Amino acid sequence: MTATAEGLADRFGRFLARRLNEVPPGAHPYTHANVAALRRSLRPGDVLLVEGNSRVSSTIKYLTMSTWSHAALCVGNAVGRVSADGEPLVLVEVNLGDGCIAAPLSKY
């Protein structure tokens, strides 16, 4: 593949990832989390199952016949970083378009 073709493929892939990560109008979660209880009980090694509402999440839930479309691993303070708001990044997850990232619990 030429450099131009690789650049075009990369731009198309990024466009597709952005489009799939969009939340369609009127989408809403079926379940609600008690964040305070989750924060008290979540321990390193726990897997957090997430019900996403993006296009790709809807597709995953449909194909797997599941309520959950995504998972994040709680690593506690192992990452050693905090968000811009000062919240510890205690979850590790892989997102379409972003790759493997660390995230705060407040994301969910």
Side-chain angles (χ1 to χ4, degrees):
M1 205 184 280
T2 67
T4 304
E6 285 178 8
L8 182 61
D10 186 53
R11 284 196 309 272
F12 178 71
R14 290 183 190 281
F15 166 79
L16 189 57
R18 277 192 312 273
R19 189 86 170 110
L20 289 171
N21 281 323
E22 289 176 356
V23 177
H28 60 281
Y30 295 112
T31 58
H32 299 282
N34 181 337
V35 179
L38 182 60
R39 193 175 304 281
R40 284 192 307 270
S41 61
L42 199 62
R43 300 287 178 257
D46 287 349
V47 175
L48 184 65
L49 297 176
V50 180
E51 175 195 10
N53 56 2
S54 67
R55 287 185 172 102
V56 71
S57 296
S58 297
T59 303
I60 291 168
K61 290 188 288 188
Y62 175 78
L63 292 174
T64 60
M65 295 185 288
S66 175
T67 304
W68 315 113
S69 63
H70 187 67
L73 177 66
C74 178
V75 294
N77 197 24
V79 176
R81 294 189 346 223
V82 295
S83 69
D85 298 336
E87 185 178 359
L89 303 180
V90 298
L91 301 175
V92 174
E93 60 183 346
V94 177
N95 292 326
L96 180 65
D98 297 327
C100 186
I101 63 166
L105 186 57
S106 64
K107 178 177 179 181
Y108 297 109

